[in-house]
């Protein structure tokens, strides 16, 4: 049975807003090396939330085939078409627009310029090698990682369901297989510095965030009762892990990838806890009427979640143009709240227009899945 869980879409709005806030903090010079500065920097937690949501939502067909005893894989053509349609056209529009803007707008940062930069950004390969992240598109490193997960998921699903579980519902064996996949990430974090400078941003470094969501999908049919205290406990756990990740001695400096391998490992693990704890109440108790469910299930939150992907794509170039070209504010100056609110006021209508203008905008491949769970 499937039901609509609107708060999952509302959580996307929260994740997108967190990413915009952390960029606003960076632009205004608030990535200070103290607890407050680290908290602003840790709002990058929006990315792990997006990754875990993808794992939770997209792995459901493979879990369902085991429960139903279906001896064949999901329709991969439909899966590929939905992933392409919901993600790629809007992304390509924004990439081309950013590069076109660069032809008439002076930019001091040469990263990602030229035809090579354009091709790399269009093909989600900008994270493989140094110097390809484009101004106004630096947040798209996460889309390169997510696209790699989309491509790998059918193979992972086949290995877990056909090879490991032999098309039988064996949740314990399935969870062991997911644990083995998750173990790739700490191993990669340990060896990445010796491979290549940008290897710390390659997909294996973030795989366990996706796997956390996949594990929640497996847990859905196993958890028969979600007590009332479990939701506030999950939120408290998420808050505690988030704050601990911001402690300078724990998660390292306010940068995306800490220099210390131990700091990178601990911070990534704490992000996994935060993302899983925020999703768990919606995954395991979709019909709950807790305040958390009600808050993220309101119409405004669900609507904002529906355009969160386009908001994520557009917000950084909007912020850059507004601050530097319109207001003339020097980099690393200004107020976080003002930057966030002004950027959002411009970005939200652009995000809605971008989604509405594209033929795939209302396809629902991404967001329909964001509002359905197996019960």
């Amino acid at each position: 049975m499937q039901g609509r869980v609107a708060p999952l879409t509302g959580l996307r709005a929260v994740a997108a807003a967190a990413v915009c806030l952390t960029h606003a903090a960076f632009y205004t010079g608030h990535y200070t090396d103290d607890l407050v500065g680290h908290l602003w920097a840790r709002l990058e937690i929006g990315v792990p939330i997006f990754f875990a949501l993808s794992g939770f939502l997209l792995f459901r067909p493979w879990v369902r085939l085991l429960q139903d005893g279906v001896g064949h894989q999901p329709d991969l053509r439909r899966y590929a078409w939905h992933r392409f349609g919901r993600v790629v056209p809007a992304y390509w529009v924004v990439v081309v627009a950013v590069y076109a803007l660069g032809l008439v707008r002076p930019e001091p940062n040469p990263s990602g310029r030229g035809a090579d930069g354009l091709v790399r950004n269009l093909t989600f390969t900008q994270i493989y090698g140094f110097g390809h992240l484009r101004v106004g598109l630096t947040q798209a490193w996460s889309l390169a990682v997510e696209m790699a997960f989309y491509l790998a998921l059918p193979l992972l699903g086949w290995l877990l369901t056909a090879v490991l579980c032999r098309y039988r519902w064996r949740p314990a064996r399935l969870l062991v297989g997911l644990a083995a996949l998750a173990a790739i990430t700490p191993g990669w974090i340990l060896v990445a510095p010796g491979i290549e400078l940008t290897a710390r941003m390659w997909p294996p470094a973030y795989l366990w965030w996706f796997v956390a969501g996949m594990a929640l999908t497996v847990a859905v049919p196993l958890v028969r009762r979600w007590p009332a205290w479990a939701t506030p406990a999950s939120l408290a756990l998420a808050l505690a892990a988030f704050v601990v990740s911001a402690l300078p001695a724990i998660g390292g400096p306010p940068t995306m990838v800490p220099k210390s391998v131990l700091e990178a490992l601990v911070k990534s693990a704490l992000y996994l806890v935060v993302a899983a704890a925020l999703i768990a109440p919606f995954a395991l108790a979709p019909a709950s009427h807790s305040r958390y469910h009600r808050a993220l299930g309101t119409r405004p939150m669900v609507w904002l979640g529906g355009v969160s992907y386009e908001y994520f794509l557009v917000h950084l170039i909007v912020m850059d143009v507004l601050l530097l070209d319109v207001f003339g504010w020097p980099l690393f100056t200004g107020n976080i709240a003002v930057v966030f609110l002004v950027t959002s006021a411009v970005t939200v209508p652009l995000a809605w227009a971008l989604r509405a203008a594209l033929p795939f905008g209302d396809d629902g491949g991404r967001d329909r899945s964001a509002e359905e769970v197996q019960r």
Side-chain angles (χ1 to χ4, degrees), residues 111-125:
S111 179
R113 287 183 178 176
D116 177 67
L118 175 61
V119 170
R120 280 183 170 272
N121 278 272
L122 288 173
T123 57
F124 301 94
T125 57

Side-chain angles (χ1 to χ4, degrees), residues 251-330:
T255 56
M256 187 183 71
V257 182
K259 294 181 180 180
S260 164
V261 169
L262 180 60
E263 290 171 346
L265 183 59
V266 171
K267 189 178 81 164
S268 183
L270 289 169
Y271 281 3
L272 182 153
V273 172
V274 174
L278 290 177
I279 296 170
F282 303 143
L284 304 178
S288 172
H289 296 287
S290 74
R291 291 180 179 178
Y292 182 49
H293 285 70
R294 294 199 304 271
L296 294 192
T298 60
R299 285 189 177 182
M301 290 301 296
V302 173
W303 186 87
L304 288 170
V307 297
S308 60
Y309 173 59
E310 290 78 8
Y311 177 99
F312 177 82
L313 289 178
V314 173
H315 82 277
L316 202 52
I317 188 61
V318 169
M319 186 181 297
D320 193 62
V321 170
L322 284 176
L323 298 189
L324 300 182
D325 300 335
V326 177
F327 298 131
W329 293 349

Side-chain angles (χ1 to χ4, degrees), residues 21-35:
L21 269 171
T22 197
H23 288 145
F26 174 80
Y27 264 76
T28 55
H30 286 84
Y31 270 25
T32 51
D33 198 9
D34 53 25
L35 179 60

Side-chain angles (χ1 to χ4, degrees), residues 95-107:
V95 169
V96 171
V98 168
Y99 272 83
L101 183 62
L103 296 176
V104 297
R105 178 176 181 256
E107 296 177 3

